[in-house]
Amino acid sequence: MRNPVDLSGRHLLVTGASADSDIGRSLCLNLTDLGARLILVGRREAALAETRALLPDPDSHTVAPFDLSDLDAIPGWMKGLAAQAGPLDGLVHSASHQGYSVLRNLKRMQIDQYFGVNLGAALMLARGFRQKGVSRTPASLVFISSIAGMVGQRGRVLYASSKAALNAAARSLALELAEDGIRVNALAPALVRGTQADKQIAMLTPEQNAALAAAHPLGFGEPQDVADAVAFLLSNASRWITGITLPLDGGFSAQ
């Protein structure tokens, strides 16, 4: 029976792959279940090794600790990875700088943090991916954005702005890289349950929790929902899709 999201033989790079990231860990488990071989990227080697230990045939996957805030070093680092582990068929940029940024307290350092990892790293990863010998074609890039970049969120101006910029980058990169056989799409989740989301929910009043739940007609998301959507955008099932930002929000943006 044909599996439209079969990723057998695909070699994929995943940022934000540390074991303590609910979405990153779920992405890696799902992609390897579908047959992919991974390069796991994050700042902490031990947390990446913990993820690799959860995967089938752990030794076939590569742990590659790297600080994505070092933007200019990304293309050369990717060139070295491909020389060591083999060229890539796709990339998922799940690493993200998150938090709240009230306008009256904004500082230049915060702007650099949000836009550096959320946008700048995505652009430099795309640049690195396009290099000769780093990728095969056809290929697919998937950026994990946020519904905040499409509807805005009070108190999160930097996060929302950086994700909106990421959505715009996906559209423009899709046009620029189409001639190379590389598709580029973004995925925009609303609230996804997990350690960080649960901490934020715990800080809300009962009334605020009720309003947040009501804003998601299909309920809150789970990391597996994100992982399945990413697999679709990486697979041949989406071969005619590029330049989109796919809302993954349980109806949040339909209201």
Side-chain angles (χ1 to χ4, degrees), residues 66-78 93 112-125 127-128:
F66 186 80
D67 186 349
L68 291 171
S69 66
D70 190 359
L71 299 182
D72 287 336
I74 291 175
W77 166 73
M78 292 182 70
H93 181 41
D112 291 342
Q113 288 174 330
Y114 279 94
F115 279 83
V117 173
N118 297 356
L119 176 65
L123 295 175
M124 298 306 282
L125 285 165
R127 177 186 166 190

Side-chain angles (χ1 to χ4, degrees), residues 18 26 43 48 53 81 90 109 117 152 165 174 192 198 203-205 219 228 230 245 255:
S18 298
S26 183
R43 287 178 296 176
L48 296 173
L81 277 180
M109 180 182 70
V117 173
V192 176
D198 289 347
M203 296 170 61
L204 301 177
T205 66
D228 286 341
V230 167
T245 297
Q255 302 180 82

Side-chain angles (χ1 to χ4, degrees), residues 10-96:
R10 304 289 180 90
H11 190 206
L12 308 172
L13 184 149
V14 180
T15 75
S18 298
D20 53 1
S21 167
D22 296 289
I23 289 178
R25 183 179 65 251
S26 183
L27 284 175
C28 294
L29 289 167
N30 203 49
L31 295 175
T32 52
D33 281 347
L34 292 168
R37 182 167 62 95
L38 304 183
I39 295 178
L40 310 175
V41 178
R43 287 178 296 176
R44 292 167 292 124
E45 184 171 4
L48 296 173
E50 189 177 342
T51 298
R52 181 170 68 174
L54 300 173
L55 306 179
D57 191 12
D59 290 341
S60 68
H61 309 290
T62 302
V63 166
F66 186 80
D67 186 349
L68 291 171
S69 66
D70 190 359
L71 299 182
D72 287 336
I74 291 175
W77 166 73
M78 292 182 70
K79 192 85 169 176
L81 277 180
Q84 174 188 357
L88 297 164
D89 301 290
L91 179 152
V92 185
H93 181 41
S94 181
S96 179

